[in-house]
Amino acid sequence: MQGEAHTMVDVQLLGPVELSAEGRAVEVGPPQRRTVMAALAVDVGRPVAVDAVIERVWGPHAPDGARGAVHAHVARIRRMCEQAAETAQEPLSLVRRSGGYLLEARPDQVDVYRFRQRVDQARAAAPADHARAGLLREALDLWRGEPLSGLNGEWAARTREAWRRQHQDAAVGWARAELRHGDPAPVIGPLTGLLGEYPLAEPLAEALMRALHETGRSAEALDCYAAVRKRLAEELGTDTGPALRQLHQSILRGHRSASPPRPEPPTVIRQTAPSAVIRQTELPAQLPMAVRGFTGRDGELARLAAILASAEGESAAVVISAVSGMAGVGKTALAVHWARRVESAFPDGQLYVNLRGFDPQGSVVPPTEAVRGFLDALGVRPERMPPGLEAQVGLYRSLLTGRRMMVVLDNARDEEQVRPLLPGSVGCMALVTSRNRLTGLAATEGAHLLAVDPLTPAGARDVLAKRLGAGRVAAEPAAVADVVTWCAGLPLALAVVSARA
């Protein structure tokens, strides 16, 4: 990117919000204007409705003059983009589009997208490839301090926290890549600083302990373990996860290998909290029954498989896929079918909740109820259930540390209903379904978005053949054609008709 730095106008969000032109930072203006800039930049290349900008800047209680203020800020930002573009080969423009605004640029003109590109390229590289460490180092070098520095409000805080988790994951991946190639010394300083920022992050502690041990500083590695264990017990009432405990025992025995241990076979429940907090339970297996007559969706299944494959070997990655589509199009069937297909990749179990985001009776499941259900499935004793959503989410994510679990969040209303239920560490995957396209998860959590369309006529006939029998479908072509037309390619409608036939 160094060769492009002087010919490209870009937006910097991984630190103070700034516009960069010809390698020079351009001050955007007061915090409110910088928030408007960030609110548009996180969706670069996609129109953002004015109401969405207002919500990101002021939250749910915007003042009466918020719309006018947005227009004024946009006008100033547009002029800055135009002035910066006069001498740049890669300009940046801000245009009006269908009730909102569009920041017109390549995604890599926004630093957070460049960060994700480097991380994705690193994950695609083979674990033994020396390029992996270099790509992750480039990604980490894009950070200039606290992201969205100086911006207030719920949206900025939520986005900042999501990006900090991605930063943490990239740092762990970089450290593991360096350790794999026998170069532990350079990672000790950065990891020590990050563990100060994220004192409960076990993957960071694990990587730091390995680096210290490999450089002959085993006593410091054991001190690090003791400090993390104490903080987990005091703040969350949990013990360290199995990966950290196994490394601790390895260091005590004097083993010098820095290779990460292989996952333990899931023969028994992994107890990551003391028995006073959790009870012994079976591995959670909450997925609904497979949908009868599921067929087709080869393209969507292949996309989900590719998303999972891209994260293999990077155990710090939390993969989030958001499946969207109209009612009855088969989002839940697709999610459950694929989750069951890849059960072996998540040997520590599956969590599932129907969030009822579009229930006509209005009985939407709040995050507090959903996370309590997950904690119960993970064995938390009722009398030790922490009060308040924030503490419950902290315990939930702590219990998932060191596990490989699939979390299916079905029928979500919006991003706010989903965020507290996302796993926070090592090897888990969240699969979200919703009628809405959850672009906010893509902008802040780096989610992969997958739209599900109605079945083609051929696909609809395949569903009927699987449910009614190929012979009957072949014998009544006219009736089948009518049913296919009436059902408009919706699997739910086809299932209802088949049940009555």
Side-chain angles (χ1 to χ4, degrees):
M1 295 304 298
Q2 294 301 315
E4 293 183 359
H6 299 289
T7 62
M8 182 171 67
V9 180
D10 64 1
V11 182
Q12 298 179 341
L13 305 179
L14 299 177
V17 176
E18 295 175 340
L19 194 66
S20 175
E22 298 184 337
R24 299 190 307 273
V26 177
E27 174 61 39
V28 175
Q32 199 173 91
R33 187 175 306 146
R34 283 184 275 132
T35 307
V36 173
M37 184 73 179
L40 297 170
V42 295
D43 279 314
V44 61
R46 295 192 296 264
V48 183
V50 173
D51 287 341
V53 176
I54 291 172
E55 194 280 331
R56 291 174 182 181
V57 177
W58 287 279
H61 306 295
D64 292 339
R67 188 170 294 269
V70 167
H71 295 324
H73 287 310
V74 164
R76 295 292 297 272
I77 294 170
R78 182 185 289 122
R79 283 198 293 272
M80 280 189 289
C81 291
E82 291 171 350
Q83 291 169 2
E86 292 176 357
T87 58
Q89 295 178 9
E90 297 290 344
L92 192 73
S93 61
L94 183 54
V95 297
R96 186 71 185 257
R97 285 287 187 276
S98 60
Y101 295 101
L102 167 68
L103 190 65
E104 207 166 49
R106 296 200 325 257
D108 65 359
Q109 288 177 252
V110 180
D111 60 358
V112 70
Y113 282 88
R114 290 204 300 279
F115 167 78
R116 289 179 186 154
Q117 286 172 353
R118 296 294 187 274
V119 171
D120 289 343
Q121 289 166 0
R123 288 176 183 166
D129 191 339
H130 281 75
R132 173 177 285 206
L135 287 165
L136 289 170
R137 182 68 263 177
E138 288 180 24
L140 295 171
D141 286 344
L142 291 168
W143 286 67
R144 300 171 296 111
E146 182 181 62
L148 305 179
S149 176
L151 303 192
N152 299 317
E154 294 179 7
W155 175 81
R158 185 174 64 240
T159 302
R160 184 182 298 117
E161 181 58 29
W163 291 353
R164 283 161 62 93
R165 289 199 301 269
Q166 294 170 31
H167 182 229
Q168 178 191 140
D169 289 345
V172 171
W174 167 68
R176 289 176 175 170
E178 295 287 12
L179 288 168
R180 192 174 289 116
H181 295 296
D183 194 14
V187 310
I188 292 175
L191 288 184
T192 301
L194 281 172
L195 192 59
E197 295 181 48
Y198 312 107
L200 302 179
E202 293 188 55
L204 280 176
E206 179 188 349
L208 177 57
M209 287 171 62
R210 290 186 187 281
L212 289 168
H213 182 52
E214 287 296 306
T215 54
R217 299 161 64 177
S218 301
E220 293 177 58
L222 295 174
D223 288 344
C224 177
Y225 176 83
V228 171
R229 187 180 187 188
K230 181 180 179 182
R231 284 193 294 265
L232 286 169
E234 290 177 348
E235 297 189 29
L236 296 177
T238 68
D239 198 1
T240 53
L244 210 56
R245 291 200 301 272
Q246 184 175 343
L247 174 59
H248 178 242
Q249 290 299 314
S250 178
I251 293 172
L252 288 174
R253 296 187 186 105
H255 297 168
R256 294 302 301 267
S257 173
S259 300
R262 292 184 178 275
E264 301 170 16
T267 53
V268 295
I269 183 71
R270 297 180 184 173
Q271 186 167 311
T272 58
S275 58
V277 176
I278 69 167
R279 63 186 185 278
Q280 208 71 1
T281 65
E282 299 295 328
L283 294 177
Q286 296 186 326
L287 291 178
M289 293 179 60
V291 177
R292 174 175 167 261
F294 185 90
T295 188
R297 300 299 189 194
D298 292 340
E300 291 87 348
L301 292 170
R303 173 77 190 285
L304 288 169
I307 291 169
L308 179 59
S310 70
E312 288 182 353
E314 187 57 70
S315 59
V318 178
V319 185
I320 306 167
S321 293
V323 178
S324 62
M326 62 190 297
V329 80
K331 302 180 294 298
T332 298
L334 172 65
V336 171
H337 178 84
W338 186 76
R340 287 194 170 278
R341 175 184 281 194
V342 298
E343 278 183 1
S344 61
F346 301 95
D348 293 312
Q350 309 89 36
L351 296 172
Y352 171 90
V353 63
N354 180 0
L355 295 170
R356 300 200 297 268
F358 301 91
D359 192 305
Q361 305 302 319
S363 56
V364 176
V365 176
T368 49
E369 180 181 333
V371 77
R372 284 179 66 93
F374 284 170
L375 288 173
D376 182 66
L378 292 167
V380 175
R381 298 178 182 277
E383 66 273 15
R384 297 306 301 267
M385 191 73 69
L389 178 61
E390 185 175 351
Q392 290 170 6
V393 170
L395 178 58
Y396 161 64
R397 288 176 175 158
S398 178
L399 291 175
L400 262 57
T401 296
R403 301 187 182 192
R404 293 189 61 84
M405 297 191 73
M406 169 71 74
V407 181
V408 179
L409 308 174
D410 193 20
N411 197 18
R413 178 182 56 194
D414 53 30
E415 294 90 344
E416 297 310 303
Q417 193 183 19
V418 165
R419 283 193 175 95
L421 307 176
L422 297 176
S425 66
V426 190
C428 294
M429 179 169 186
L431 188 56
V432 185
T433 74
S434 177
R435 295 183 193 177
N436 293 327
R437 188 168 173 81
L438 303 178
T439 56
L441 289 183
T444 57
E445 276 77 21
H448 303 267
L449 302 182
L450 175 62
V452 179
D453 297 319
L455 294 168
T456 64
R461 284 193 293 272
D462 288 343
V463 170
L464 291 173
K466 200 160 186 178
R467 286 181 169 272
L468 300 175
R472 183 174 178 185
V473 169
E476 303 179 63
V480 167
D482 287 341
V483 169
V484 168
T485 300
W486 294 333
C487 292
L490 298 178
L492 180 61
L494 293 165
V496 172
V497 171
S498 300
R500 294 177 178 176

